[in-house]
């Protein structure tokens, strides 16, 4: 790694840590029980919304009602996004006259955006109308993120409330997440992105004449799609001159802002944040990377405030960083070392003042190695899934890191809300293991952890693991699954493992060579995304319901302190051991095998 | 249940209006007012007509132009309507073959140049629309461009320096050269 690689990673971490406390304190006010200066500011709009919906904001929901409201609201969102895609050809704001999306792709995309995954089997600029992007996809970017925050806030109430039957009101938590947290930050980020060159308009695509006319050759095909042959048996080819370039337009910045902030990750354009209109400069890239970790980082601090001990929040954040930093350095180092396959050729891949060097396949010049590698680690540690470089073209070990970060359960920052409630499930498992070691009833944050909590936490930890392993097994056994592979050898298996890991942890990034816009893949990944999101969230709400009803146990000599470096180490070990034991065999068949083979 | 359904429906509708209509309209309004050039695609306008975007790379194969990053978009390279990378894995023989072809094309355009080729000139960009190359990649092509145009290397170097941008804020990203802008400036020099 070069000095600048370290500088860029270091600068990012410093700025992020400086923002954790202000953002976290602000969110603590947003979700505080008592009215305060923040919630009073927007109370008019908030009350207006509740009145129109017939919502009583003082209704205290038990965990079952909270979970039901959450599920109904999200399933309704899936249906609306599905219908918008199927009917977009008849609706306004479709300047390129895109046709209806196919049923399986539309269902996959609807589930994908409602589950905060944003797996994309389609290419944005050639599939979705502006109306579908704005009122379907971008709205779900907001609402799936708000759902994640709401569920987290309810789970934290499970720890902070005592002998209570309620874990809050889903409608209020959702509305406040959207109005106070996501909307204002998105507007700010959107304008920062536009200042760097991200497009924001409602124009049709612009055709410009190119400076040099070039041409491309393609084989001529008959009506059945077979290549035509000439008398000598050679393919008939046709040369087409290229005299114009079509520039895509659209309301991109507003959608990209929430795509990053809500850890959604679904690109406005096919190339996602590698596209110069989606991420034009190194500064826009820095803003996008910050936006990914901003809310998940802030929520750790908010958690500390809400359980009445800020050290608890810092301990969770420290655990995330302990895992994140070494893996990031590993990824950047692997990419900076370059691709051995090119070493024999007359290629200069050394880093210097004049070039980034390293493995530049699938990467943009303006980002080079450091800004691409850091982005790849951030987007998969969080369940964002936006990409500014093509992960399929990462070096074998460089590609292993994002894959494993997803497989760890999206708890290293993770999705907004979902990352922290996933980490709290691991924390419950960690105190349980510590309790077994010393033979005491485990407690966490003053609540006794008993059989019911352990069942729910285990479910939350193991469900995504099971989905990845079973989903991958199905895909490699079925011809329709293997048919999607683009690259030969071990890398082909990596493409499948990556796709199922991404969907089953609600990340959404891909080894993009995989042809996943087929009925088989759309259905398999649709099921994985849905099961990874809602049953897991419901399990956590059930745990919260049980915890909220319990009394507070005063700290005693037998209590394991959960804010110490010892606990941070224990928690990090639990996360890593679960992730390593479950996935090492599969990783050995994919990236590790490829790494051993490369260079030979 | 029916009460929750009704609440879900109305809340989804209101949130769609707020986050799906009002928010993008407000963002567009402010963006068009404050950053109209950027919000509309950073178009380069010559004689009143757009000739390209400063952010979207175009294809160059003529020795008198600087060439940009290889592009894996289909059917033609730098297809603005269909962005994307090659998605070739690191050990895929097709990746090495593509690199060999690109090296051969560069050598054919500039037979005397035996320097190793900077890696960004033999690898496809992530978007397929990368507007920029590294200063090393520009330096590699400088003598060829100067010769093809009958300019001195000093003249081309001066333009190249003008269109080279360092790391943003001194630390972020990488140094780079905008290929389309540099080529347009070269054409303007000789008009």
């Amino acid at each position: 790694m070069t000095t600048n690689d370290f500088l860029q990673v270091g600068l990012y971490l410093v700025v992020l840590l400086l923002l954790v406390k202000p953002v976290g304190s602000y969110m603590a006010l947003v979700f505080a029980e008592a009215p305060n200066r923040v919630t009073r500011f927007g109370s008019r709009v908030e009350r207006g919304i509740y009145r129109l919906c017939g919502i009583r904001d003082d209704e205290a929901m038990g965990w079952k009602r909270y979970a039901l409201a959450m599920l109904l609201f999200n399933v309704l969102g899936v249906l609306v996004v599905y219908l918008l895609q199927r009917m977009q050809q008849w609706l306004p704001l479709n300047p390129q006259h895109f046709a209806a999306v196919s049923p399986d792709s539309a269902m996959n995309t609807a589930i994908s955006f409602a589950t905060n995954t944003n797996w994309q089997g389609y290419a944005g600029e050639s599939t979705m109308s502006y109306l579908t992007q704005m009122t379907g996809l971008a709205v779900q970017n907001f609402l799936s993120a708000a759902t994640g925050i709401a569920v987290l806030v309810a789970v934290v109430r499970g720890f902070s409330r005592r002998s209570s039957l309620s874990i809050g009101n889903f409608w209020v938590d959702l509305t406040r997440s959207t109005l106070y947290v996501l909307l204002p930050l998105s507007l700010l980020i959107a304008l920062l992105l536009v200042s760097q060159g991200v497009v924001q308009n409602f124009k049709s695509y612009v055709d410009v004449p190119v400076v040099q006319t070039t041409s491309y050759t393609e084989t001529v095909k008959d009506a059945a799609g077979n290549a035509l042959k000439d008398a000598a048996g050679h393919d008939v080819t046709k040369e087409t001159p290229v005299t114009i370039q079509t520039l895509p337009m659209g309301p991109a910045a507003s959608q990209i802002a929430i795509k990053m902030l809500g850890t959604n990750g679904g690109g406005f354009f096919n190339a996602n944040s590698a596209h110069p209109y989606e991420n034009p400069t190194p500064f826009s890239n820095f803003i996008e990377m910050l936006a990914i970790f901003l809310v998940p980082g802030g929520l750790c601090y908010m958690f500390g405030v809400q359980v009445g001990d800020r050290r608890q929040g810092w301990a969770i954040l420290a655990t995330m960083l302990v895992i994140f930093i070494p893996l990031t350095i590993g990824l950047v180092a692997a990419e900076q070392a370059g691709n051995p396959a090119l070493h024999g050729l007359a290629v200069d891949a050394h880093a210097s003042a004049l070039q980034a060097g390293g493995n530049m396949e699938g990467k943009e010049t303006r980002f080079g190695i450091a800004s691409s590698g850091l982005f790849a680690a951030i987007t998969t540690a969080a369940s964002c899934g936006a990409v500014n470089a093509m992960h399929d073209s990462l070096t074998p070990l460089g590609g292993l890191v994002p894959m494993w970060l997803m497989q760890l359960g999206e708890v290293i920052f993770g999705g907004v809300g979902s990352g922290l409630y996933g980490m709290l499930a691991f924390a419950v498992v960690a105190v349980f293991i510590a309790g077994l070691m010393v033979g005491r009833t485990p407690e966490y944050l003053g609540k006794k952890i008993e059989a019911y909590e352990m069942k729910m936490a285990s479910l939350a930890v193991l469900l995504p693991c099971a989905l990845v392993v079973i989903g991958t097994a199905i895909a490699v056994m079925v011809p329709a699954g293997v048919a999607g592979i683009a690259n030969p050898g071990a890398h082909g298996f990596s493409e499948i493992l990556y796709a199922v890991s991404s969907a089953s942890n609600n990340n959404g990034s891909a080894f993009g060579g995989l042809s996943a816009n087929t009925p088989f893949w759309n259905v398999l990944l649709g099921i994985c995304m849905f099961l990874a999101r809602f049953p897991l969230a419901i399990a956590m709400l059930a745990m919260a319901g049980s915890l909220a009803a319990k009394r507070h146990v005063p700290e005693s000599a037998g209590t394991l302190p959960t804010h110490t470096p010892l606990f941070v180490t224990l928690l990090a070990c639990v996360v890593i051991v679960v992730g390593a034991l479950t996935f090492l065999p599969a990783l050995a068949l994919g990236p590790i095998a490829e790494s051993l083979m490369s260079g030979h | 249940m029916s009460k929750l359904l009704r609440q879900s429906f109305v809340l989804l509708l209101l949130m769609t209006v707020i986050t799906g209509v009002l928010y993008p309209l407000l963002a567009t309004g402010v963006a068009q007012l404050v950053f109209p050039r950027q919000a509309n695609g950073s178009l380069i306008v010559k004689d009143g007509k757009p000739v390209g975007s400063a952010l979207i790379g175009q294809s160059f194969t003529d020795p008198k132009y600087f060439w940009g990053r290889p592009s894996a978009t289909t059917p033609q390279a730098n297809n603005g309507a269909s962005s994307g990378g090659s998605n070739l894995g690191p050990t895929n023989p097709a990746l090495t073959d593509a690199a060999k072809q690109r090296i051969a094309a560069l050598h054919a355009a500039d037979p005397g140049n035996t320097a190793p080729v900077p890696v960004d000139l033999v690898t496809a960009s992530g978007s397929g629309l990368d507007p920029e190359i590294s200063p090393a990649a520009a330096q590699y092509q400088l003598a060829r461009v100067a010769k093809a145009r009958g300019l001195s290397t000093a003249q081309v170097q001066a333009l190249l320096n003008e269109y080279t941008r360092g790391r943003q804020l001194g630390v972020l990203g990488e140094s780079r050269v905008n290929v389309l802008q540099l080529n347009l400036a070269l054409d303007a020099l000789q008009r």
Side-chain angles (χ1 to χ4, degrees):
Chain A
M1 272 173 78
T2 65
T3 319
N4 177 265
D5 290 342
F6 280 109
L7 258 176
Q8 293 202 38
V9 175
L11 180 70
Y12 174 79
L13 291 172
V14 168
V15 175
L16 175 73
L17 287 173
L18 287 175
L19 290 172
V20 161
K21 190 176 164 184
V23 172
S25 315
Y26 173 74
M27 290 192 289
L29 285 176
V30 170
F31 296 104
E33 313 265 331
N36 55 60
R37 61 181 195 275
V38 174
T39 47
R40 266 195 289 270
F41 178 74
S43 66
R44 273 214 157 152
V45 180
E46 215 189 317
R47 273 171 209 294
I49 290 172
Y50 300 149
R51 202 175 311 121
L52 284 169
C53 299
I55 291 167
R56 286 181 51 112
D57 61 342
D58 57 352
E59 183 199 352
M61 293 182 175
W63 79 264
K64 285 178 187 160
R65 192 157 179 84
Y66 198 101
L68 186 63
M70 186 272 293
L71 195 61
L72 280 178
F73 185 76
N74 279 277
V75 170
L76 200 63
V78 171
L79 290 179
V80 169
V81 178
Y82 177 81
L83 291 176
L84 267 173
Q85 293 176 81
R86 299 287 295 145
M87 302 194 303
Q88 66 175 4
Q89 75 277 29
W90 299 314
L91 298 172
L93 280 178
N94 186 2
Q96 303 310 118
H97 307 290
F98 292 132
V101 182
S102 73
D104 57 304
S105 174
M107 182 46 82
N108 179 284
T109 303
I111 294 175
S112 175
F113 277 72
T115 56
N116 200 256
T117 311
N118 294 31
W119 171 269
Q120 296 174 294
Y122 64 91
E125 67 266 51
S126 55
T127 314
M128 298 294 179
S129 76
Y130 293 166
L131 188 83
T132 310
Q133 298 257 35
M134 262 170 58
T135 61
L137 305 182
V139 168
Q140 285 305 315
N141 280 354
F142 275 100
L143 299 180
S144 64
T147 298
I149 299 177
V151 172
L152 170 78
V153 172
V155 170
V156 176
R157 286 192 194 110
F159 289 104
S160 63
R161 288 191 176 174
R162 293 163 192 190
S163 312
S164 165
L165 292 176
S166 161
I167 55 170
N169 181 315
F170 176 71
W171 307 127
V172 173
D173 293 340
L174 182 97
T175 307
R176 288 192 174 174
S177 302
T178 311
L179 291 187
Y180 293 104
V181 181
L182 300 172
L183 257 181
L185 284 172
S186 291
L187 188 62
L188 177 70
I189 293 167
L191 293 175
L192 281 172
L193 292 178
V194 176
S195 80
Q196 297 298 300
V198 176
V199 291
Q200 180 71 25
N201 60 54
F202 289 97
K203 295 183 174 163
S204 308
Y205 293 3
V206 176
D207 283 343
V208 292
V210 293
V211 174
Q212 186 202 326
T213 302
T214 54
S215 65
Y216 64 93
T217 317
E218 41 177 14
T219 53
V220 183
K221 290 182 176 154
D222 62 18
N226 299 315
L228 284 178
K229 306 272 182 191
D230 61 15
H234 299 295
D235 286 352
V236 180
T237 57
K238 184 181 70 165
E239 190 156 310
T240 313
V242 180
T243 54
I244 58 156
Q245 186 181 42
T246 302
L247 303 174
M249 295 283 142
S254 54
Q255 183 165 336
I256 293 159
I258 182 61
K259 151 202 157 191
M260 313 311 293
L261 187 72
T263 64
N264 302 280
F268 194 87
F269 304 111
N270 186 45
N272 208 300
S273 281
H275 199 294
Y277 276 167
E278 190 148 344
N279 192 2
T281 67
F283 182 67
S284 69
N285 191 61
F286 193 76
I287 297 291
E288 292 190 7
M289 292 193 298
L290 265 184
I292 299 177
F293 274 180
L294 190 63
V295 177
L299 285 173
C300 290
Y301 186 85
M302 181 197 83
F303 160 72
V305 173
Q306 288 181 335
V307 298
D309 181 358
R310 274 156 227 223
R311 296 172 307 178
Q312 304 290 348
W314 288 118
I316 297 281
L317 189 67
T319 310
M320 293 173 173
L321 288 173
V322 161
I323 297 174
F324 174 74
I325 293 172
L327 286 175
T328 302
I329 291 174
L331 199 170
V332 176
E335 292 308 298
Q336 190 69 68
N339 182 356
L342 300 183
H343 285 175
L345 311 178
V347 172
D348 177 11
H350 294 286
S352 72
L354 296 182
Q355 68 165 7
N359 173 29
M360 284 299 286
E361 181 72 27
K363 293 191 182 66
E364 297 283 292
T365 309
R366 61 194 177 282
F367 305 140
I369 300 299
S371 290
S372 301
L374 180 58
F375 194 110
I378 292 168
T379 196
T380 47
S383 78
C384 182
V387 296
N388 79 349
M390 296 303 126
H391 289 192
D392 214 348
S393 297
L394 294 173
T395 59
L397 294 181
L400 181 146
V401 171
M403 208 184 306
W404 199 48
L405 275 168
M406 297 188 300
Q407 290 165 344
L408 290 179
E410 290 300 4
V411 295
I412 313 305
F413 291 89
V416 287
S418 60
L420 184 50
Y421 66 67
M423 189 55 122
L424 292 177
F426 273 103
V428 165
V429 173
V431 293
F432 174 76
I433 290 172
L436 285 182
M437 289 181 194
V438 295
R440 281 191 177 263
T441 310
E443 333 164 343
Y444 186 48
L445 307 171
K447 292 292 173 89
K448 267 194 185 150
I449 304 300
E450 292 167 298
Y452 187 77
E453 287 77 31
M454 272 314 293
K455 276 183 206 160
M456 293 303 139
S458 307
L459 193 64
V461 167
L462 295 179
L463 182 69
C465 296
L467 286 171
V468 174
V469 176
I470 295 169
T472 304
I474 292 173
V476 294
M477 285 190 295
V478 178
V482 182
I485 290 177
N487 284 287
H491 197 86
F493 175 72
S494 297
E495 286 181 337
I496 288 183
L497 180 62
Y498 194 103
V500 185
S501 301
S502 174
S504 305
N505 289 286
N506 295 137
N507 180 275
S509 66
F511 271 13
L514 187 80
S515 304
N517 198 358
T518 62
F520 170 82
W521 278 106
N522 280 329
V523 170
L524 177 76
L525 298 179
I527 293 171
C528 287
M529 290 188 284
F530 192 89
L531 291 181
R533 176 74 170 180
F534 298 114
L536 199 154
I538 292 169
M540 291 307 291
L541 288 173
M543 182 167 96
S546 161
L547 287 171
K550 295 187 184 199
R551 280 178 307 154
H552 184 81
V553 190
E555 223 170 279
S556 71
T559 306
L560 171 78
T562 51
H563 61 265
T564 58
L566 182 69
F567 183 74
V568 169
T569 312
L570 176 69
L571 181 53
C573 286
V574 170
V575 173
I576 287 172
V577 166
V578 170
L581 288 182
T582 316
F583 297 108
L584 213 53
L587 291 170
L589 294 176
I592 296 174
E594 191 184 17
S595 171
L596 294 173
M597 280 155 45
S598 76
H600 291 290
Chain B
M1 179 87 169
S2 71
K3 187 174 147 204
L4 281 181
L5 253 180
R6 201 190 64 235
Q7 290 170 331
S8 291
F9 188 80
V10 183
L11 187 58
L12 181 59
L13 192 75
L14 288 177
M15 286 298 177
T16 302
V17 171
I18 295 172
T19 64
V21 180
L22 297 180
Y23 159 67
L25 285 181
L26 180 63
T28 309
V30 179
Q32 291 290 341
L33 210 64
V34 187
F35 308 110
R37 188 179 57 81
Q38 292 95 319
N40 295 313
S42 306
L43 299 181
I44 303 174
V45 178
K46 206 166 76 177
D47 309 326
K49 284 191 182 137
V51 294
S53 163
L55 292 177
I56 306 290
Q58 292 188 5
S59 297
F60 293 99
T61 53
D62 193 313
K64 72 173 182 176
Y65 287 119
F66 283 91
W67 300 359
R69 292 291 301 279
S71 160
T73 60
T74 54
Q76 77 269 31
N78 291 290
N79 181 357
S82 174
S83 60
S86 71
N87 282 316
L88 292 175
T91 55
N92 192 333
L95 177 77
T96 324
D97 290 346
K100 283 179 187 159
Q101 277 177 21
R102 289 162 188 154
I103 295 169
L106 284 163
H107 284 170
D110 187 11
N113 192 347
T114 54
V117 184
V119 66
D120 56 320
L121 280 181
V122 304
T123 49
S125 67
S127 63
L129 302 171
D130 194 339
E132 293 154 338
I133 53 176
S134 68
Q139 226 36 266
Y140 175 85
Q141 304 182 61
L142 189 139
R144 182 196 77 214
V145 172
K147 193 172 152 211
R149 288 180 175 265
L151 293 169
S152 74
T153 49
Q155 281 173 297
V156 182
Q157 183 76 55
L159 264 189
L160 174 56
N161 292 346
E162 193 183 323
Y163 283 91
T164 303
R165 287 202 283 177
R167 290 197 170 103
Q168 214 168 356
L169 311 176
V171 57
L172 298 176
E174 298 295 333
S175 306
R176 59 219 194 271
V177 181
N178 188 299
V179 177
L180 177 60
Q181 287 179 327
L182 177 59
N183 284 334
L184 284 172
L186 279 167
D187 279 352
L189 194 67
Q190 294 190 302
R191 201 152 49 151

